[in-house]
Amino acid sequence: AILERETNNKPYKIIVFFTTARLTGFLAELFNSVSSQTGYKVLEIHSRKAQKARERASEEFRKSKNAVMFTSDVTARGMDYPDVTFVLQVGLTDRAQYIHRLGRTARAGKEGKGGLLLSNYEEAHMVKKELKGMPLEPTPINVSVKTSAVVEQAKQNVGKDKTLRVSAEQAYRAWLGYYNGHLKKVRWDKKLLVQQANLWAQQNGLSDQPALQKRTVGKMGLKGVPGLKLE
């Protein structure tokens, strides 16, 4: 809904930050699977991409008049893009990172805007602790009929396309690992973490729960936690 709103205002150059490389890659692929409905394609830059691929995407974004780029924090520092109109940050971040990312917009005296998209379990930590005192303005998100249809099609695509499904499974494992490292911030225990991860999988079109290696489960301290599927 946010991207639908921002891409309606041309010219646009939008950067969307995500928490992990796997999540960035999956969501870029997911959005590109419905590009005929959204009217735009998504560029992606993250550590899972080869350096040359990142350079090509970076250059294309820099030169484009209308473009959307999904990225992990690899783009937050050291790269300067002209005419960025909107920066959207999705999920947990810290105060310094938030400011650096927001600094991608409103360069050279030009106007720019930023947004922070949080799940309800992330909001308390981010608003009351990490970004306390910063000028944040709560904004309701109105999901249009068009956006709802696009979301439903995207979920169906995950079920139909093997490459997209594998990417979703990798993102699930990364999501689980990321929030396992931030349990205190979201006020979860291990059991609730697994429940939320499995809900994430369902919401993103995975009909079968992704399996994890026993070694991975052990490293994350999740041995014996109900709800996990082991390989």
Side-chain angles (χ1 to χ4, degrees):
I2 297 172
L3 291 182
E4 180 185 2
R5 180 192 72 203
E6 294 302 323
T7 55
N8 281 334
N9 301 315
K10 295 182 179 179
Y12 61 82
K13 196 171 283 191
I14 301 164
I15 302 177
V16 185
F17 288 95
F18 295 99
T19 51
T20 73
R22 289 291 192 194
L23 188 61
T24 303
F26 163 60
L27 290 173
E29 293 172 42
L30 189 65
F31 270 75
N32 285 335
S33 77
V34 290
S35 61
S36 60
Q37 291 169 266
T38 61
Y40 59 85
K41 285 194 173 184
V42 172
L43 299 167
E44 57 179 302
I45 296 182
H46 50 81
S47 59
R48 294 284 176 178
K49 283 286 185 182
Q51 182 63 29
K52 285 188 177 181
R54 281 185 270 174
E55 290 173 356
R56 284 195 300 270
S58 179
E59 191 61 19
E60 184 176 348
F61 185 74
R62 183 177 283 108
K63 291 181 177 179
S64 296
K65 290 185 178 179
N66 297 295
V68 178
M69 181 167 67
F70 287 6
T71 183
S72 58
D73 201 44
V74 72
T75 305
R77 302 170 187 268
M79 294 186 181
D80 187 23
Y81 298 107
D83 307 321
V84 173
T85 58
F86 192 78
V87 170
L88 178 62
Q89 302 185 53
V90 182
L92 295 175
T93 182
D94 61 42
R95 193 180 188 91
Q97 190 178 62
Y98 172 83
I99 294 169
H100 277 291
R101 288 173 170 180
L102 196 57
R104 299 303 94 196
T105 187
R107 292 293 183 94
K110 295 185 178 182
E111 291 187 355
K113 297 183 295 180
L116 178 63
L117 183 61
L118 300 170
S119 297
N120 55 6
Y121 48 78
E122 297 168 320
E123 188 174 349
H125 172 77
M126 290 301 300
V127 175
K128 296 179 181 179
K129 291 185 178 181
E130 199 66 51
L131 302 180
K132 186 177 181 180
M134 297 199 72
L136 302 175
E137 182 180 333
T139 305
I141 299 174
N142 299 314
V143 180
S144 68
V145 174
K146 176 186 175 182
T147 296
S148 296
V150 170
V151 169
E152 188 56 39
Q153 182 60 58
K155 290 173 67 175
Q156 291 178 22
N157 290 347
V158 173
K160 295 175 183 176
D161 188 295
K162 183 179 179 181
T163 301
L164 195 54
R165 185 168 66 253
V166 169
S167 184
E169 290 172 349
Q170 292 170 335
Y172 162 86
R173 297 181 186 105
W175 191 100
L176 187 65
Y178 179 82
Y179 284 98
N180 187 50
H182 295 283
L183 292 177
K184 288 184 179 180
K185 292 180 180 179
V186 294
R187 300 178 182 178
W188 290 347
D189 58 16
K190 302 275 188 179
K191 184 178 179 180
L192 185 53
L193 165 70
V194 173
Q195 290 174 353
Q196 290 288 344
N198 293 344
L199 179 61
W200 183 94
Q202 294 173 9
Q203 291 173 336
N204 284 277
L206 286 170
S207 56
D208 295 323
Q209 182 184 337
L212 288 87
Q213 294 180 349
K214 288 184 179 180
R215 181 178 60 182
T216 302
V217 172
K219 283 184 177 179
M220 289 196 291
L222 298 176
K223 186 177 180 181
V225 178
L228 291 176
K229 182 178 179 181
L230 302 180
E231 290 182 352

